[in-house]
Amino acid sequence: MNEAMMGLDDERQDWERPAATARWLVDAARALDSADDRVGRAASDLFHDAAVNLSDQHRAQIGQLVRALIGAIEDELRIRVARALGDERPELTAALGSSGVAIALPLLERTRLLREPGLVAAMLRRVDEHRLAIMLGRDSPYHVADLAQRLLDLGDAEIAEATMALLIAESRRYDQFGDPALAHGDLPAGPHRQLLWAVAAALRHWLVRQQAVPDSQADLMLAGAVGGLLADHDDADTLEGRAGALAALLGRKQLIDDQLLADALEEGWLALFTAAIAERAGIDAAGVWSMIADPAGMMLGTVLRAIDCSREAAVTMLWRIGSAEGAEEDVIVARAEAFDALGQHDAAEAVLIWRLDPNYRRAVIEIGEGGSGRRSIR
């Protein structure tokens, strides 16, 4: 992280911050804590009929992602287990080859295994990204943004290769009907591993209880099948991985200027928009996405100020996202005014908290609630 981003002031050595800085730190902590809470509420809501926190559209789309994810993993595990069986039990091999009846999903829906925060966060992000991209006009997997074409036209082989790789990864965001899609290979490593083993455990239950396969044989076959899928998984080939690789390359070549950020957002190229801000800010892309998705709309302006984004570009981006999400004009104006009122030093300090332990963030909230630190940009 560079010195400007860190917001270090060599002339100020004491630990006491002005009241304005403290307010922004508390707001930043509260915003990220709100993002964490939203994932937790979504995990609960998805499996309760009386859910009130997710919209019907969110529930339907995330439910479809769950079914598609588990179905795809189950199909791949079935194929690998059938291969391991060989000619030993033809009737079981035939049953494994018939995908007409789902095995894993009905079993997993009775458990808490699908509520793993990393998995829910990945699905929620994919649905939110899809909704925002459509509002911004990027409604097709075949849409090649003008920015992408300009990057390809630079004549830089590395940038061209990374851009094409990202465009291919972007195409996986859509299913055949244009709805959001999430391939299991696009999951982060932790949730991907957990989901593979969860589906494997469900198949084990079916193999042992209904097909009379010995426990040890089922375990060995499924361990081999999961091991094969894990070996095939490449974090660098996920959508976020490809976006991060292109952003890192553009950063090294000093090509992530304000115009690139504004163009990426305008064209609905949200993976690159998120990764490019993260590259400039020196923080992780998941944290930046939480800022973009912050319901209060405060944190995007904060991180843009922290990276010394020009006022014209920042206000344009705040306006574009706010209007796409249907925010009232006075709300968007308030966000722009908040950007104007915030100094780069204070913004950099507020952004830093998004990299820290959630227990620390919550402590900042608790301590700040009792004093003048309470403030909210709406």
Side-chain angles (χ1 to χ4, degrees), residues 42-324:
S44 177
D45 290 354
L46 287 172
F47 303 97
H48 289 82
D49 292 335
V52 295
N53 287 303
L54 289 179
S55 69
D56 290 341
Q57 183 181 33
H58 269 90
R59 283 176 58 81
Q61 290 181 332
I62 294 177
Q64 178 58 34
L65 292 184
V66 171
R67 290 189 292 273
L69 272 172
I70 295 176
I73 293 172
E74 179 179 322
D75 288 346
E76 294 192 47
L77 291 178
R78 283 188 181 204
I79 291 170
R80 291 172 184 261
V81 170
R83 288 174 182 166
L85 278 171
D87 298 328
E88 182 179 338
R89 288 186 56 181
E91 80 287 354
L92 178 53
T93 301
L96 286 165
S98 174
S99 58
V101 178
I103 296 172
L105 183 60
L107 293 172
L108 292 176
E109 285 181 326
R110 305 173 194 168
T111 73
R112 300 186 63 84
L113 293 170
L114 300 181
R115 304 184 191 186
E116 194 279 321
L119 174 61
V120 175
M123 294 189 294
L124 196 57
R125 174 174 175 176
R126 182 57 54 90
V127 168
D128 284 340
E129 275 185 332
H130 185 83
R131 176 182 55 82
L132 183 55
I134 288 177
M135 291 176 176
L136 291 165
R138 188 180 178 88
D139 58 356
S140 167
Y142 308 107
H143 173 75
V144 177
D146 292 339
L147 174 58
Q149 191 60 57
R150 293 203 302 275
L151 293 176
L152 293 172
D153 291 342
L154 288 174
D156 186 305
E158 285 184 300
I159 291 177
E161 181 180 359
T163 300
M164 287 304 302
L166 178 54
L167 289 173
I168 292 170
E170 279 270 352
S171 69
R172 299 195 297 263
R173 288 201 307 112
Y174 304 84
D175 65 13
Q176 65 269 36
F177 304 109
D179 291 325
L182 180 60
H184 70 84
D186 268 336
L187 287 171
H192 181 248
R193 176 181 290 272
Q194 290 174 321
L195 191 57
L196 288 182
W197 285 115
V199 176
L203 287 179
R204 181 192 190 277
H205 180 90
W206 178 78
L207 288 168
V208 173
R209 298 290 183 88
Q210 297 188 34
Q211 302 298 324
V213 175
D215 293 26
S216 58
Q217 183 183 10
D219 290 336
L220 289 173
M221 289 191 300
L222 288 165
V226 171
L229 290 179
L230 288 173
D232 291 342
H233 185 262
D234 183 3
D235 285 343
D237 193 39
T238 64
L239 173 58
E240 286 73 26
R242 292 301 185 188
L246 177 56
L249 182 59
L250 294 174
R252 289 197 299 273
K253 297 177 183 288
Q254 298 183 335
L255 293 174
I256 305 179
D257 56 14
D258 295 347
Q259 190 62 52
L260 183 141
L261 296 179
D263 289 345
L265 176 62
E266 178 63 30
E267 297 174 15
W269 210 3
L270 294 174
L272 180 60
F273 175 67
T274 302
I277 292 178
E279 179 67 22
R280 262 180 72 169
I283 59 180
D284 64 280
V288 171
W289 176 252
S290 295
M291 297 177 189
I292 296 170
D294 171 30
M298 181 268 288
M299 285 309 300
L300 177 59
T302 302
V303 73
L304 290 176
R305 174 63 85 185
I307 64 175
D308 198 23
C309 182
S310 70
R311 183 185 188 279
E312 181 180 0
V315 170
T316 297
M317 287 184 269
L318 292 172
W319 190 272
R320 193 69 181 94
I321 284 186
S323 59

